[in-house]
Amino acid sequence: MSRRGALLATLVLTAAVLSGCANFSTTTVTVLHPWSGAEETAFKAILDKLDDGEPYRIVPVGTSSYRQVLELGLAQGKPADIVIMPSLGELAEYARQGLVQPIDSAEHPYPWNVWERLGSARGPRYGVAVKAQLKSLTWAKRPGEEWCMGVGDASAPGWPGTDWVEDILLRDGGPGTYRKWAAGQVPWTGDQVRSAWSSWLKDYVAKVRGGSKAVLLNKFADSNTGLPLLDPRGTCQNDRRSSYVLGDYRPFTPRRFDTGVGTVVSADFAALVTRGDAATAVLGKLASRDTQRAWLESGSGFPVDPQVRQDREVPGSSESMVQTALAQSNKLCFDASDLMPVVQRTAFEQAVLNVLEDPGRLPDVLARLDKTDAGVTEARLDLPCGNAR
Amino acid sequence: MKGPLAPRSTGRSLLLLRNALVVLTALTLLLSWLAFRSVEAETTAVATTTAPALLGIANARTALAEAERSVTETFASDRSSLTGPGEQYQNQIALANQALTEVSADNAAGERGSTLLLSIQGLLIDYIGLIEQADAQQDRAAGTVPPLATANLWYASGLMDDVQSRLEALARLQQERLDEQIRPKPVVDLAPLVLAVALVVVLVLGQRVLRVRFRRRVNPALVGATALAVLVLFTGLLSLLARFDLRAAAATLRGAAADHTAVVEDTSARGDRLLRDFLDHQCADTRCGTSVDRFRTTVRDPGREPDTVAAAARSKAATSEIADASAGGWLPVLPIAAGLVIGLVVLGFHPRLAEYRYERR
């Protein structure tokens, strides 16, 4: 290069640099999820493990107020790409409003496939079950009558009480009644439903130290103090808590709450909010067997697919018992409050709080729940429960 | 003449010296520009995003802690059946919402910050809902707060802890961004200064060479180029000083954020003590349960009255220091001065080079 050329090149380079630099950006996929504590930590570790150098970045956002966050994001025009939620009733509402997209990826086995299709055998699929929990479990620390119980929760106070009523109704009323009740075809004031509430108050709430008022003020998950059976100053011997505590409650033997006719399960479903290759790819990953196995290994969730088992499964262990129960597809019933539209679910939770404030108010509260049902025009989900099809 | 003093060799040396000066000027311009742009961009980013976001978070936290304390006091004082959650609570919630809206616009923590902020806004909706429930469940006829209203206040208090810890996490993200923005960049800042000094030195030496070789006392064009090179050096110094000012302002900003945190902790401790006394009163005739028992053991005595005035004054000082940290409007001067240096160097050497070209023929 001549000197003049070199000089020119220096000046051109200077001008080019002065004129600015190029911008590079990476696609991000925001995943809104309801987990906190150990579940959230496990989820982040799973995302790291699944990172295979993909050309996008996954941003997990954990909040118990996922519904508010999703709607705020939609209102601001920058919604999360994927939302994970435990409520199929809520998912059905989003599907009706066109806020979530139909999904075409590999199906899970029965009854999960029907649940993911919101009850329709051939209809569009709006959710992918990411992980499941067995709900109908009780744990005992030592012989004793007292129950640990608290319905306090920051975002949805009352929900732990709804689980109690569901378990008792399924146990005493059977899958047929449970299915019809969850679908809004059995009134709250019906004998079996009222009997389930009464049984909860009489056989369990009454055996909590401090009674119904303590249940009202006790928090279900106290992040500062951990699980009640692990409290060294423990005041209770029995706890009803789903399989998510299996790791922490390893010293205790779980017992099935049901009598073999049906088991309440819950799951977290991932739904696609935005259309896009990256979001679709992440959804596929969330539903994959690898992810389900990773959840199983983390101890924070159980696979929906019965084929996914632990490499070194110990026969007779608590994990094995939970997995076996989840594989009995003809006995599974989905958490009824999570099948209800948001209005009914909230009313159910508030009913729990009202009844705990004054158990004598039960007949009036149940009558008001019937009135709430009558005022809701949206179609209710009617999903298979155990052998009641 | 022979050797280095031969006309042909002198001409080549002059050409080399002129080209070296042109290249040195261009490089000085390039690096000075980059240094200037770097400090200007960072000062602007701190002034328009990180600092307002950090102060906005601090204001939101302070307002929410006060809202929480105030609503507890209202319910504990038996006046809630008449006033509802109270005007002070409403005002503080409005202030917090306003601060969070501003943080949303100023957020410097990227996608993580935005999503965290959204989750905080979601929790706040739940918090306000719980307080509304508590208000609706009051027994207005008897002027008492029934168990369910008490429970909702209690749940709301737990939710506020979550909101505060998320706001703290959001502030940490902004703080990390601030640390990146004010990180010292010795190569970026010192390289143009070194080059500008070298340019001035080479210009002075060039002047000397021309005086010795051609017996001219002064080459006016090179004198002008030297003066302009000193101007370029001056702008480099300005950008370095701006960087120091920005670091000092960031320290004040951190101090302001720490003042606000102390206010939040004191206010929250006062709120917790009020809540404990309120729950003790509500549960006088029965048990409140294990969660409340545990909460009682965590309540600490607040220190002296929170100094909100000092926190506000330090926030104001930080904002003012950041605004003053700019290197000024000297950026456009750089290419003009450097261009003129190059022009004057070419002009200053031209007659002497022309002489040698003539002699070579």
Side-chain angles (χ1 to χ4, degrees), chain A residues 80-108:
Chain A
D81 298 292
I82 292 172
V83 58
I84 301 177
M85 61 179 97
S87 166
L88 281 175
E90 209 163 329
L91 182 62
E93 284 183 28
Y94 288 141
R96 265 196 299 275
Q97 294 165 17
L99 300 179
V100 289
Q101 317 297 328
I103 299 162
D104 312 305
S105 53
E107 296 233 15
H108 285 126

mmCIF file of all heavy atoms in Angstrom, chain A residues 80-108:
data_model
loop_
_atom_site.group_PDB
_atom_site.id
_atom_site.type_symbol
_atom_site.label_atom_id
_atom_site.label_comp_id
_atom_site.label_asym_id
_atom_site.label_seq_id
_atom_site.Cartn_x
_atom_site.Cartn_y
_atom_site.Cartn_z
ATOM 1 N N ALA A 80 -45.279 -11.950 28.663
ATOM 2 C CA ALA A 80 -44.358 -13.080 28.745
ATOM 3 C C ALA A 80 -44.625 -13.980 27.535
ATOM 4 O O ALA A 80 -45.730 -13.980 26.983
ATOM 5 C CB ALA A 80 -44.602 -13.834 30.042
ATOM 6 N N ASP A 81 -43.637 -14.757 27.111
ATOM 7 C CA ASP A 81 -43.828 -15.627 25.950
ATOM 8 C C ASP A 81 -44.531 -16.921 26.342
ATOM 9 O O ASP A 81 -45.305 -17.471 25.572
ATOM 10 C CB ASP A 81 -42.465 -15.945 25.321
ATOM 11 C CG ASP A 81 -41.792 -14.681 24.828
ATOM 12 O OD1 ASP A 81 -42.299 -14.095 23.861
ATOM 13 O OD2 ASP A 81 -40.793 -14.247 25.437
ATOM 14 N N ILE A 82 -44.206 -17.384 27.550
ATOM 15 C CA ILE A 82 -44.800 -18.633 28.035
ATOM 16 C C ILE A 82 -45.267 -18.403 29.467
ATOM 17 O O ILE A 82 -44.579 -17.729 30.235
ATOM 18 C CB ILE A 82 -43.757 -19.775 27.998
ATOM 19 C CG1 ILE A 82 -43.427 -20.126 26.541
ATOM 20 C CG2 ILE A 82 -44.245 -21.002 28.746
ATOM 21 C CD1 ILE A 82 -42.288 -21.105 26.382
ATOM 22 N N VAL A 83 -46.438 -18.911 29.792
ATOM 23 C CA VAL A 83 -46.884 -18.819 31.188
ATOM 24 C C VAL A 83 -47.140 -20.239 31.697
ATOM 25 O O VAL A 83 -47.704 -21.071 30.978
ATOM 26 C CB VAL A 83 -48.131 -17.916 31.342
ATOM 27 C CG1 VAL A 83 -49.295 -18.409 30.501
ATOM 28 C CG2 VAL A 83 -48.550 -17.799 32.803
ATOM 29 N N ILE A 84 -46.647 -20.505 32.890
ATOM 30 C CA ILE A 84 -46.878 -21.821 33.500
ATOM 31 C C ILE A 84 -47.826 -21.623 34.669
ATOM 32 O O ILE A 84 -47.605 -20.746 35.510
ATOM 33 C CB ILE A 84 -45.555 -22.448 33.986
ATOM 34 C CG1 ILE A 84 -44.598 -22.583 32.799
ATOM 35 C CG2 ILE A 84 -45.794 -23.804 34.632
ATOM 36 C CD1 ILE A 84 -43.219 -23.119 33.162
ATOM 37 N N MET A 85 -48.913 -22.388 34.676
ATOM 38 C CA MET A 85 -49.929 -22.185 35.722
ATOM 39 C C MET A 85 -50.524 -23.523 36.152
ATOM 40 O O MET A 85 -50.542 -24.474 35.381
ATOM 41 C CB MET A 85 -51.018 -21.264 35.192
ATOM 42 C CG MET A 85 -51.742 -21.808 33.993
ATOM 43 S SD MET A 85 -53.032 -20.697 33.447
ATOM 44 C CE MET A 85 -52.208 -19.824 32.159
ATOM 45 N N PRO A 86 -51.011 -23.579 37.390
ATOM 46 C CA PRO A 86 -51.589 -24.836 37.850
ATOM 47 C C PRO A 86 -53.080 -24.967 37.522
ATOM 48 O O PRO A 86 -53.649 -26.036 37.692
ATOM 49 C CB PRO A 86 -51.394 -24.771 39.369
ATOM 50 C CG PRO A 86 -51.379 -23.307 39.673
ATOM 51 C CD PRO A 86 -50.875 -22.595 38.466
ATOM 52 N N SER A 87 -53.705 -23.893 37.074
ATOM 53 C CA SER A 87 -55.158 -23.898 36.931
ATOM 54 C C SER A 87 -55.606 -24.100 35.488
ATOM 55 O O SER A 87 -55.358 -23.261 34.618
ATOM 56 C CB SER A 87 -55.713 -22.564 37.450
ATOM 57 O OG SER A 87 -57.047 -22.412 37.038
ATOM 58 N N LEU A 88 -56.303 -25.226 35.258
ATOM 59 C CA LEU A 88 -56.847 -25.461 33.919
ATOM 60 C C LEU A 88 -58.066 -24.573 33.664
ATOM 61 O O LEU A 88 -58.357 -24.208 32.538
ATOM 62 C CB LEU A 88 -57.236 -26.933 33.766
ATOM 63 C CG LEU A 88 -56.079 -27.891 33.494
ATOM 64 C CD1 LEU A 88 -56.574 -29.334 33.473
ATOM 65 C CD2 LEU A 88 -55.377 -27.576 32.189
ATOM 66 N N GLY A 89 -58.784 -24.231 34.753
ATOM 67 C CA GLY A 89 -59.933 -23.329 34.596
ATOM 68 C C GLY A 89 -59.482 -21.980 34.069
ATOM 69 O O GLY A 89 -60.117 -21.386 33.197
ATOM 70 N N GLU A 90 -58.356 -21.518 34.579
ATOM 71 C CA GLU A 90 -57.803 -20.245 34.140
ATOM 72 C C GLU A 90 -57.301 -20.356 32.691
ATOM 73 O O GLU A 90 -57.500 -19.449 31.886
ATOM 74 C CB GLU A 90 -56.645 -19.894 35.075
ATOM 75 C CG GLU A 90 -56.427 -18.432 35.240
ATOM 76 C CD GLU A 90 -55.574 -18.165 36.481
ATOM 77 O OE1 GLU A 90 -55.643 -18.932 37.446
ATOM 78 O OE2 GLU A 90 -54.838 -17.185 36.448
ATOM 79 N N LEU A 91 -56.664 -21.499 32.405
ATOM 80 C CA LEU A 91 -56.158 -21.715 31.045
ATOM 81 C C LEU A 91 -57.318 -21.706 30.048
ATOM 82 O O LEU A 91 -57.203 -21.131 28.954
ATOM 83 C CB LEU A 91 -55.400 -23.055 30.986
ATOM 84 C CG LEU A 91 -54.761 -23.411 29.650
ATOM 85 C CD1 LEU A 91 -53.709 -22.381 29.248
ATOM 86 C CD2 LEU A 91 -54.108 -24.794 29.715
ATOM 87 N N ALA A 92 -58.441 -22.315 30.445
ATOM 88 C CA ALA A 92 -59.613 -22.339 29.562
ATOM 89 C C ALA A 92 -60.104 -20.913 29.299
ATOM 90 O O ALA A 92 -60.506 -20.574 28.183
ATOM 91 C CB ALA A 92 -60.725 -23.180 30.183
ATOM 92 N N GLU A 93 -60.052 -20.059 30.328
ATOM 93 C CA GLU A 93 -60.473 -18.663 30.144
ATOM 94 C C GLU A 93 -59.553 -17.950 29.160
ATOM 95 O O GLU A 93 -60.001 -17.219 28.278
ATOM 96 C CB GLU A 93 -60.470 -17.923 31.486
ATOM 97 C CG GLU A 93 -61.659 -18.279 32.343
ATOM 98 C CD GLU A 93 -61.702 -17.488 33.645
ATOM 99 O OE1 GLU A 93 -61.188 -16.361 33.693
ATOM 100 O OE2 GLU A 93 -62.243 -18.040 34.623
ATOM 101 N N TYR A 94 -58.250 -18.174 29.335
ATOM 102 C CA TYR A 94 -57.288 -17.538 28.410
ATOM 103 C C TYR A 94 -57.516 -18.035 26.979
ATOM 104 O O TYR A 94 -57.411 -17.265 26.025
ATOM 105 C CB TYR A 94 -55.850 -17.839 28.836
ATOM 106 C CG TYR A 94 -55.424 -17.111 30.081
ATOM 107 C CD1 TYR A 94 -54.631 -17.709 31.038
ATOM 108 C CD2 TYR A 94 -55.806 -15.790 30.300
ATOM 109 C CE1 TYR A 94 -54.232 -17.042 32.181
ATOM 110 C CE2 TYR A 94 -55.424 -15.113 31.443
ATOM 111 C CZ TYR A 94 -54.635 -15.747 32.381
ATOM 112 O OH TYR A 94 -54.252 -15.078 33.509
ATOM 113 N N ALA A 95 -57.807 -19.345 26.845
ATOM 114 C CA ALA A 95 -58.035 -19.906 25.506
ATOM 115 C C ALA A 95 -59.269 -19.261 24.873
ATOM 116 O O ALA A 95 -59.261 -18.901 23.693
ATOM 117 C CB ALA A 95 -58.201 -21.420 25.609
ATOM 118 N N ARG A 96 -60.327 -19.101 25.674
ATOM 119 C CA ARG A 96 -61.555 -18.468 25.164
ATOM 120 C C ARG A 96 -61.280 -17.046 24.701
ATOM 121 O O ARG A 96 -61.819 -16.577 23.715
ATOM 122 C CB ARG A 96 -62.628 -18.443 26.260
ATOM 123 C CG ARG A 96 -63.590 -19.616 26.193
ATOM 124 C CD ARG A 96 -64.841 -19.341 27.029
ATOM 125 N NE ARG A 96 -64.551 -19.130 28.427
ATOM 126 C CZ ARG A 96 -64.409 -20.105 29.332
ATOM 127 N NH1 ARG A 96 -64.547 -21.358 28.951
ATOM 128 N NH2 ARG A 96 -64.150 -19.843 30.587
ATOM 129 N N GLN A 97 -60.423 -16.349 25.446
ATOM 130 C CA GLN A 97 -60.125 -14.944 25.110
ATOM 131 C C GLN A 97 -59.053 -14.822 24.026
ATOM 132 O O GLN A 97 -58.684 -13.720 23.637
ATOM 133 C CB GLN A 97 -59.653 -14.204 26.368
ATOM 134 C CG GLN A 97 -60.725 -14.067 27.429
ATOM 135 C CD GLN A 97 -60.123 -13.665 28.785
ATOM 136 O OE1 GLN A 97 -59.001 -13.210 28.866
ATOM 137 N NE2 GLN A 97 -60.886 -13.859 29.840
ATOM 138 N N GLY A 98 -58.521 -15.950 23.569
ATOM 139 C CA GLY A 98 -57.487 -15.924 22.525
ATOM 140 C C GLY A 98 -56.143 -15.438 23.025
ATOM 141 O O GLY A 98 -55.315 -14.985 22.229
ATOM 142 N N LEU A 99 -55.908 -15.513 24.328
ATOM 143 C CA LEU A 99 -54.643 -15.016 24.881
ATOM 144 C C LEU A 99 -53.540 -16.076 24.856
ATOM 145 O O LEU A 99 -52.378 -15.756 25.054
ATOM 146 C CB LEU A 99 -54.841 -14.526 26.318
ATOM 147 C CG LEU A 99 -55.843 -13.388 26.491
ATOM 148 C CD1 LEU A 99 -55.974 -13.003 27.953
ATOM 149 C CD2 LEU A 99 -55.391 -12.175 25.687
ATOM 150 N N VAL A 100 -53.916 -17.332 24.657
ATOM 151 C CA VAL A 100 -52.905 -18.391 24.534
ATOM 152 C C VAL A 100 -53.118 -19.118 23.199
ATOM 153 O O VAL A 100 -54.226 -19.135 22.668
ATOM 154 C CB VAL A 100 -52.963 -19.403 25.714
ATOM 155 C CG1 VAL A 100 -52.474 -18.777 26.996
ATOM 156 C CG2 VAL A 100 -54.371 -19.953 25.897
ATOM 157 N N GLN A 101 -52.044 -19.678 22.692
ATOM 158 C CA GLN A 101 -52.057 -20.261 21.347
ATOM 159 C C GLN A 101 -52.198 -21.782 21.411
ATOM 160 O O GLN A 101 -51.682 -22.405 22.340
ATOM 161 C CB GLN A 101 -50.743 -19.932 20.623
ATOM 162 C CG GLN A 101 -50.261 -18.509 20.788
ATOM 163 C CD GLN A 101 -51.239 -17.522 20.203
ATOM 164 O OE1 GLN A 101 -51.913 -17.829 19.214
ATOM 165 N NE2 GLN A 101 -51.356 -16.348 20.803
ATOM 166 N N PRO A 102 -52.868 -22.362 20.389
ATOM 167 C CA PRO A 102 -52.911 -23.831 20.331
ATOM 168 C C PRO A 102 -51.500 -24.397 20.126
ATOM 169 O O PRO A 102 -50.645 -23.736 19.545
ATOM 170 C CB PRO A 102 -53.779 -24.121 19.103
ATOM 171 C CG PRO A 102 -54.452 -22.841 18.773
ATOM 172 C CD PRO A 102 -53.587 -21.739 19.280
ATOM 173 N N ILE A 103 -51.309 -25.598 20.631
ATOM 174 C CA ILE A 103 -49.962 -26.200 20.605
ATOM 175 C C ILE A 103 -50.002 -27.495 19.794
ATOM 176 O O ILE A 103 -50.944 -28.277 19.908
ATOM 177 C CB ILE A 103 -49.529 -26.550 22.047
ATOM 178 C CG1 ILE A 103 -49.485 -25.283 22.898
ATOM 179 C CG2 ILE A 103 -48.186 -27.239 22.074
ATOM 180 C CD1 ILE A 103 -49.510 -25.571 24.390
ATOM 181 N N ASP A 104 -48.954 -27.734 19.000
ATOM 182 C CA ASP A 104 -48.856 -29.008 18.274
ATOM 183 C C ASP A 104 -47.557 -29.686 18.659
ATOM 184 O O ASP A 104 -46.604 -29.590 17.929
ATOM 185 C CB ASP A 104 -48.788 -28.788 16.753
ATOM 186 C CG ASP A 104 -49.852 -27.836 16.285
ATOM 187 O OD1 ASP A 104 -50.997 -28.104 16.573
ATOM 188 O OD2 ASP A 104 -49.486 -26.820 15.644
ATOM 189 N N SER A 105 -47.471 -30.285 19.783
ATOM 190 C CA SER A 105 -46.266 -31.063 20.082
ATOM 191 C C SER A 105 -46.697 -32.402 20.659
ATOM 192 O O SER A 105 -47.890 -32.657 20.813
ATOM 193 C CB SER A 105 -45.355 -30.299 21.053
ATOM 194 O OG SER A 105 -46.065 -29.913 22.174
ATOM 195 N N ALA A 106 -45.722 -33.242 20.954
ATOM 196 C CA ALA A 106 -46.025 -34.613 21.368
ATOM 197 C C ALA A 106 -47.000 -34.640 22.554
ATOM 198 O O ALA A 106 -46.924 -33.804 23.446
ATOM 199 C CB ALA A 106 -44.739 -35.312 21.750
ATOM 200 N N GLU A 107 -47.918 -35.590 22.498
ATOM 201 C CA GLU A 107 -48.961 -35.669 23.525
ATOM 202 C C GLU A 107 -48.524 -36.498 24.722
ATOM 203 O O GLU A 107 -47.698 -37.396 24.603
ATOM 204 C CB GLU A 107 -50.190 -36.340 22.911
ATOM 205 C CG GLU A 107 -50.773 -35.526 21.790
ATOM 206 C CD GLU A 107 -52.245 -35.275 21.978
ATOM 207 O OE1 GLU A 107 -52.727 -35.490 23.095
ATOM 208 O OE2 GLU A 107 -52.880 -34.865 21.012
ATOM 209 N N HIS A 108 -49.103 -36.184 25.849
ATOM 210 C CA HIS A 108 -48.882 -37.007 27.031
ATOM 211 C C HIS A 108 -49.931 -38.122 27.072
ATOM 212 O O HIS A 108 -50.956 -38.035 26.402
ATOM 213 C CB HIS A 108 -49.006 -36.139 28.286
ATOM 214 C CG HIS A 108 -47.811 -35.259 28.501
ATOM 215 N ND1 HIS A 108 -47.901 -33.904 28.667
ATOM 216 C CD2 HIS A 108 -46.497 -35.553 28.547
ATOM 217 C CE1 HIS A 108 -46.688 -33.403 28.832
ATOM 218 N NE2 HIS A 108 -45.824 -34.379 28.762
#
